[in-house]
């Protein structure tokens, strides 16, 4: 729904990136075309597998994607946006590839959210048809609005002609000849939307982040030029496709670059994850520190013997976990940074030597930092109050510019304009670049928490508690404190409440709010007055300081 957006897609970098980015390959004329060319090049190589035991070569993956695309072309209406309510498996990946071949915009929907959030996403994107499976519907206990197309039912709709045409097209036909049957293979304006990924806004209302073909292909190209990927890299894909990393990296980065990915639908299944790493010789894994700590606890070191690239993000990597990884696995974990709005990857540490922006050689992995910027990416810091640009090396609000920056928020030009100015996306995170160009994050977004890798909006939780307690929003503020198990947990700093925290917790738990968003009754902190700044604004740092002093931090 690009017509709803009043923003300019970023196809080139207009700032001053630390490292230049070469042009995209000539054959990358769309996501579908980039995958098509890669599958042709690596036809006999294993491309994809999952924990159900399925495994496909690039040739078979392309064939299956074309066959499904032919079936879907007969079933799908004219709507550009198509929903997917599917876990990260071979089948879910094939469905995404098929939509790309058809030139559709994939909207992977969050099956861990509540029904109200799910309905809002469907309505905002104008989705009328959703690809799904009875298994995920039963497991999630959610039912998306619209016409549900079960992948299992499509087997009976595949004809002999579909199979023959799919096999011949995948093996022999040039992309130019197939573009009539598969519009996604045609050369397109790369500024067109490729996907819409929903993320909760500061009010808890989901916002659709529109990522174009250029955004995603550029991020793939940046990753390829920044990380020294192995020729036979095997990537573990445990992040869902409704997360930008799960979509951009574990689908498109892997398959456009001819690598292998192994999917599992639940990142909490620590033993299954460890077994998959051992069985498939996983060399690259992206995870949160919280999740990887559990993998270490439940898995054996030898199961991660092939692991070379361990990318950790979404939470701060604590020194004790870094040391444990080094001691047990004999590798250095590599922190990275990004947001849904940045495609997602902005920076990441690497295990080889790199050059600083001024050309000096340094080791590419610096603990406590989130790495050097990807090629073609620029960063500046802004004064939190005035918004003025600060000298390089000065802590401030991080703004990012690059070809991976989103087109904008779906149907929300005013909210887009607040965070996207002249191609610069204001992240809301605090940090700075050190003298060697490494990016440091000193504080996460003030109005969100990262809990087990999931982003939880403070204002959305506040609104729910304010409504239940019947108090003013100036009498209650949600913040976060460190948590040993999940990285962070919510804390509620408040003045006198008319109902007890235990009752608030009970009512929230009985409602539709995601369980991850509900603070424990033990994490309510009563104060005489909410801290405020001289400007009259709530002193969010002061609020968090009170919570830390009263609730303490994990050891």
């Amino acid at each position: 729904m690009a017509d709803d957006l009043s923003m300019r897609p970023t196809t080139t970098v207009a700032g001053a990136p630390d490292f230049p980015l070469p042009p995209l390959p000539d054959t990358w004329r769309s996501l579908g075309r980039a995958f098509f060319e890669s599958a042709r090049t690596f036809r006999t190589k294993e491309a994809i597998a999952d924990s159900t035991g399925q495994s496909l070569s690039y040739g078979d993956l392309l064939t299956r994607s074309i066959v499904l695309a032919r079936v879907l072309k007969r079933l799908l209406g004219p709507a550009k946006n198509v929903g997917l309510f599917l876990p990260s498996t071979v089948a879910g990946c094939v469905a995404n590839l098929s939509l790309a071949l058809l030139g559709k915009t994939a909207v992977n929907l969050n099956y861990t959210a509540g029904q109200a959030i799910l309905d809002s996403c469907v309505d905002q994107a104008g989705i009328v048809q959703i690809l799904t499976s009875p298994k995920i519907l039963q497991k999630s206990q959610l039912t998306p609005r619209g016409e549900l197309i079960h992948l299992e039912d499509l087997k009976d709709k595949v004809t002999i002609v579909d199979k023959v045409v799919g096999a011949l097209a995948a093996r022999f036909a040039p992309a130019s000849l197939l573009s009539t049957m598969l519009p996604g293979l045609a050369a397109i304006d790369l500024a067109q939307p490729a996907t819409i990924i929903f993320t909760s806004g500061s009010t808890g209302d989901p916002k659709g982040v529109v990522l174009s073909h250029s955004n995603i292909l550029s991020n793939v190209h940046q990753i390829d030029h920044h990380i020294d990927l192995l020729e036979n890299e095997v990537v573990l894909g445990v992040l869902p496709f409704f997360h930008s990393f799960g979509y951009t990296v574990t689908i498109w980065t892997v398959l456009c670059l001819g690598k292998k990915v192994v999917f599992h639908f639940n990142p909490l299944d620590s033993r299954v994850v460890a077994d998959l790493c051992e069985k498939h010789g996983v060399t690259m894994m992206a995870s949160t520190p919280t999740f990887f700590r559990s993998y270490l606890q439940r898995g054996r070191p030898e199961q991660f013997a092939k692991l070379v690239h361990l990318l950790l993000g979404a939470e701060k990597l604590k020194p004790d976990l870094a040391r444990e990884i080094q001691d047990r696995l004999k590798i250095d974990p590599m922190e990275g940074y990004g947001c849904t709005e940045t495609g997602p990857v902005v920076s990441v540490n690497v295990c080889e030597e790199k050059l600083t922006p001024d050309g000096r050689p340094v080791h590419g992995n610096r603990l406590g930092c989130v790495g050097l910027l990807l090629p073609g990416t620029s960063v500046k810091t802004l004064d939190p109050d005035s918004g003025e640009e600060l000298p390089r090396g000065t802590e401030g609000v991080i703004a990012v510019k690059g070809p991976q920056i989103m087109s904008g928020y779906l149907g929300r030009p005013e909210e887009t304009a607040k965070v996207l100015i002249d191609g610069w996306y204001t992240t809301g995170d605090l940090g700075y670049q050190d003298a060697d160009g490494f990016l440091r994050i000193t504080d996460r977004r003030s109005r969100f928490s990262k809990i087990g890798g999931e982003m939880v909006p403070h204002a959305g939780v506040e609104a729910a508690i304010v409504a239940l307690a019947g108090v003013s929003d100036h009498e209650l503020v949600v913040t976060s404190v460190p948590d040993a198990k999940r990285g962070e947990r919510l804390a509620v700093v408040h003045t006198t409440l008319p109902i007890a925290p235990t009752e608030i917790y009970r009512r929230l738990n009985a409602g539709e709010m995601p369980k991850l968003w509900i603070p424990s009754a033990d994490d309510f902190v009563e104060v005489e007055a909410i801290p405020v700044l001289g400007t009259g604004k709530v002193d969010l740092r002061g609020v968090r300081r009170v919570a830390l002093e009263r609730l303490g931090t994990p050891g």
Side-chain angles (χ1 to χ4, degrees):
M1 300 180 73
D3 292 341
D4 292 337
L5 302 170
S6 63
M7 66 292 289
R8 300 180 299 277
T10 304
T11 56
T12 59
V13 180
D18 287 350
F19 310 100
L21 178 67
L24 295 177
D26 290 338
T27 54
W28 285 16
R29 301 178 182 180
S30 68
L31 282 177
R33 180 67 177 272
F35 162 63
F36 179 87
E37 299 293 345
S38 176
R40 281 287 183 80
T41 301
F42 302 101
R43 187 176 61 86
T44 60
K45 184 177 179 180
E46 188 176 16
I48 186 172
D50 66 20
S51 54
T52 70
Q54 290 197 66
S55 177
L56 295 173
S57 68
Y58 270 92
D60 290 339
L61 178 59
L62 179 57
T63 300
R64 186 172 293 191
S65 299
I66 292 174
V67 170
L68 179 58
R70 283 177 57 86
V71 174
L72 291 176
K73 190 174 184 179
R74 298 193 292 265
L75 296 176
L76 296 177
K80 182 71 172 176
N81 300 337
V82 178
L84 299 102
F85 197 68
L86 294 166
S88 48
T89 60
V90 166
C93 182
V94 170
N96 274 277
L97 295 173
S98 297
L99 291 180
L101 293 176
L102 289 175
K104 298 287 189 179
T105 300
V107 187
N108 286 276
L109 298 165
N110 188 340
Y111 43 80
T112 68
Q115 187 68 48
I117 291 176
L118 180 61
D119 291 342
S120 176
C121 295
V122 170
D123 292 344
Q124 288 185 58
I127 295 171
V128 295
Q129 293 169 305
I130 298 170
L131 307 181
T132 187
S133 166
K135 294 179 182 178
I136 192 65
L137 293 173
Q138 182 179 11
K139 186 175 181 63
S140 69
Q141 295 295 298
L142 299 173
T143 304
R145 291 177 177 171
E147 178 189 352
L148 303 184
I149 299 174
H150 294 167
L151 290 186
E152 291 86 345
D153 296 341
L154 299 185
K155 294 178 182 179
D156 296 335
K157 299 183 183 299
V158 177
T159 67
I160 295 296
V161 174
D162 291 328
K163 294 179 180 179
V164 172
V165 171
L168 293 176
R171 184 70 176 90
F172 300 109
S176 57
L177 185 64
L178 296 173
S179 59
T180 301
M181 178 178 70
L182 301 172
L185 294 181
I188 64 168
D189 178 359
L190 292 180
Q192 291 185 21
T195 189
I196 301 168
I197 297 180
F198 280 92
T199 182
S200 295
S202 60
T203 63
D205 187 33
K207 290 185 292 190
V209 174
V210 180
L211 297 176
S212 68
H213 288 260
S214 176
N215 295 150
I216 296 170
L217 288 172
S218 294
N219 213 208
V220 172
H221 199 43
Q222 291 171 312
I223 292 168
D224 188 30
H225 280 77
H226 185 71
I227 302 177
D228 188 11
L229 297 172
L230 304 177
E231 182 178 353
N232 291 312
E233 195 86 65
V234 180
V235 179
L236 184 70
V238 292
L239 299 177
F241 299 147
F242 57 77
H243 279 196
S244 56
F245 194 101
Y247 185 79
T248 296
V249 178
T250 63
I251 295 179
W252 296 110
T253 300
V254 171
L255 299 180
C256 288
L257 299 179
K259 310 305 178 183
K260 175 183 172 180
V261 61
V262 182
F263 289 118
H264 181 58
F265 52 85
N266 187 356
L268 298 176
D269 289 340
S270 302
R271 288 196 175 92
V272 174
V273 167
D275 290 344
L276 287 173
C277 286
E278 182 177 28
K279 178 180 178 181
H280 293 274
V282 167
T283 60
M284 176 182 283
M285 179 192 299
S287 176
T288 68
T290 296
F291 288 157
F292 196 77
R293 188 185 293 274
S294 69
Y295 303 157
L296 274 183
Q297 292 172 345
R298 294 179 178 270
R300 304 184 310 277
E302 58 267 26
Q303 292 182 290
F304 305 100
K306 297 291 183 67
L307 196 58
V308 175
H309 298 121
L310 174 58
L311 311 179
L312 299 178
E315 307 162 8
K316 186 174 180 60
L317 175 61
K318 296 180 180 178
D320 66 315
L321 178 58
R323 287 193 297 269
E324 185 178 0
I325 292 170
Q326 292 165 332
D327 292 342
R328 296 190 64 188
L329 304 185
K330 310 305 178 186
I331 61 172
D332 290 327
M334 300 179 291
E335 286 190 89
Y337 174 71
C339 320
T340 302
E341 292 88 343
T342 62
V345 187
V346 170
S347 65
V348 65
N349 284 287
V350 294
C351 54
E352 62 270 4
E353 187 176 87
K354 300 289 282 188
L355 295 178
T356 63
D358 58 4
R360 292 178 290 109
V362 294
H363 190 267
N365 190 7
R366 184 167 294 181
L367 293 179
C369 298
V370 291
L372 294 168
L373 302 180
L374 267 58
T377 304
S378 303
V379 159
K380 63 181 179 180
T381 55
L382 308 174
D383 184 278
D385 295 320
S386 69
E388 295 295 319
E389 184 174 350
L390 299 170
R392 182 162 178 158
T394 305
E395 180 183 289
V397 178
I398 295 171
V400 183
K401 192 173 192 176
Q404 73 270 48
I405 301 301
M406 68 171 180
S407 300
Y409 293 123
L410 179 69
R412 299 186 184 213
E414 292 182 359
E415 293 194 44
T416 297
K418 291 178 182 178
V419 298
L420 194 58
I421 302 171
D422 294 330
W424 289 94
Y425 170 66
T426 304
T427 66
D429 293 331
L430 295 176
Y432 64 95
Q433 278 184 283
D434 67 17
D436 292 329
F438 284 83
L439 185 62
R440 290 182 178 268
I441 305 300
T442 56
D443 202 357
R444 288 290 177 182
R445 298 184 192 191
S446 57
R447 304 305 290 141
F448 289 83
S449 285
K450 291 283 189 177
I451 300 178
E454 293 282 340
M455 183 172 284
V456 178
H458 293 178
V461 180
E462 284 174 9
I465 298 175
V466 164
L468 279 177
V471 297
S472 165
D473 54 9
H474 295 295
E475 298 175 82
L476 181 149
V477 180
V478 171
T479 185
S480 64
V481 295
D483 183 84
K485 293 183 178 179
R486 297 189 295 178
E488 289 183 285
R489 70 181 191 273
L490 297 179
V492 183
V493 178
H494 61 89
T495 56
T496 303
L497 296 174
I499 58 177
T502 51
E503 179 62 12
I504 292 174
Y505 175 81
R506 187 191 68 79
R507 295 186 189 181
L508 289 175
N509 214 41
E512 291 189 352
M513 179 178 284
K515 305 305 180 188
L516 206 63
W517 292 24
I518 302 175
S520 166
D522 294 332
D523 289 328
F524 279 65
V525 176
E526 185 171 341
V527 294
E528 290 186 4
I530 299 295
V532 295
L533 299 169
T535 60
K537 295 180 180 179
V538 172
D539 182 1
L540 295 172
R541 288 190 179 185
V543 169
R544 190 167 191 265
R545 191 180 307 115
V546 169
L548 288 170
E549 291 172 353
R550 296 280 290 275
L551 298 176
T553 58

